[in-house]
Amino acid sequence: MEEKKLLLKLARLRIWKELGVTVENEKEIREQIVSSHALQLLCGAFVTLKERDHLRGCIGTMTGRMPLHETVDSMAVSSAFNDPRFTPVTKNEIKNISIEISVLSPMKAIEDPFSITPGVHGLYLTCGSHSGVLLPQVATEQNWGIKEFVHHTCYKAGMTPDILKDSRTRFQSFTVIMFSEEDLL
């Protein structure tokens, strides 16, 4: 529980810092993070920003290439300022933005994307230079069944559901540990 709170504080702190705002307790937060073994683990994570329940940014990485706290730090900045679907977050709106973090399990190769459980599993598909991913909670938020979830993952990859028939298409599933400021702070 404490690690989740620290990651949420870190994400908000990084966005504030990027906006040029000094955060008084930064040193304390960073010291607590360094002393946490769990936050040193290598795993993928997404940082999602919402403004009044509307998506405002979401960027992540599927695999852990650096410690979890560094991944969250980097993804918070990318989500706030580099998501190509949105304009960068401003100082005026940050107070209305909530942060959600999804820590990913290791990827598991699967043969049939329709074998996953919407709301429990996320889906990552690749075909050539195309790739698309949807987190498990998207199915729940959108009230999608398996067909809609799989098809929207295809659309996210910039393809139609015909990609499912392509022998080059690869599928991976994963689960997440998701938490938000509303849940914990």
Side-chain angles (χ1 to χ4, degrees):
M1 181 71 86
E2 193 57 38
E3 284 89 359
K4 293 176 182 177
K5 288 180 182 179
L6 279 172
L7 286 175
L8 289 163
K9 287 178 183 179
L10 172 66
R12 186 161 294 279
L13 176 142
R14 277 299 285 132
I15 294 169
W16 277 114
K17 278 193 70 157
E18 203 67 23
L19 290 168
V21 177
T22 304
V23 179
E24 293 179 17
N25 61 346
E26 177 182 2
K27 184 177 179 186
E28 176 188 323
I29 291 170
R30 293 212 180 267
E31 287 173 357
Q32 291 174 341
I33 286 169
V34 170
S35 68
S36 169
H37 173 72
L39 300 183
Q40 307 310 317
L41 298 175
L42 305 180
C43 45
F46 277 71
V47 174
T48 303
L49 306 179
K50 293 184 178 178
E51 187 172 17
R52 296 182 181 91
D53 291 328
H54 296 286
L55 185 63
R56 184 60 180 82
C58 182
I59 301 283
T61 182
M62 303 303 297
T63 57
R65 295 187 181 102
M66 55 187 151
L68 177 57
H69 70 92
E70 290 179 23
T71 298
V72 168
D73 187 293
S74 177
M75 296 306 112
V77 170
S78 292
S79 188
F81 305 105
N82 301 319
D83 189 327
R85 299 170 291 180
F86 304 96
T87 59
V89 169
T90 66
K91 283 183 188 178
N92 291 335
E93 65 183 324
I94 187 62
K95 61 186 167 285
N96 297 319
I97 290 178
S98 63
I99 299 173
E100 176 183 287
I101 297 173
S102 299
V103 179
L104 280 61
S105 71
M107 295 285 156
K108 177 183 174 190
I110 57 174
E111 293 294 321
D112 179 9
F114 295 99
S115 67
I116 66 171
T117 304
V120 174
H121 300 103
L123 180 62
Y124 179 53
L125 69 82
T126 57
C127 183
S129 63
H130 295 276
S131 66
V133 63
L134 286 177
L135 299 172
Q137 58 266 34
V138 174
T140 304
E141 292 167 359
Q142 299 298 320
N143 199 28
W144 288 338
I146 186 66
K147 183 177 178 181
E148 293 89 0
F149 186 68
V150 172
H151 286 188
H152 279 277
T153 307
C154 296
Y155 302 141
K156 186 93 183 275
M159 303 294 292
T160 66
D162 291 338
I163 194 174
L164 300 171
K165 299 174 189 165
D166 190 317
S167 63
R168 299 173 302 154
T169 304
R170 300 289 175 256
F171 309 100
Q172 295 180 76
S173 69
F174 58 94
T175 58
V176 300
I177 298 171
M178 184 202 55
F179 47 97
S180 67
E181 292 173 317
E182 287 80 32
D183 298 336
L184 299 175
L185 298 180

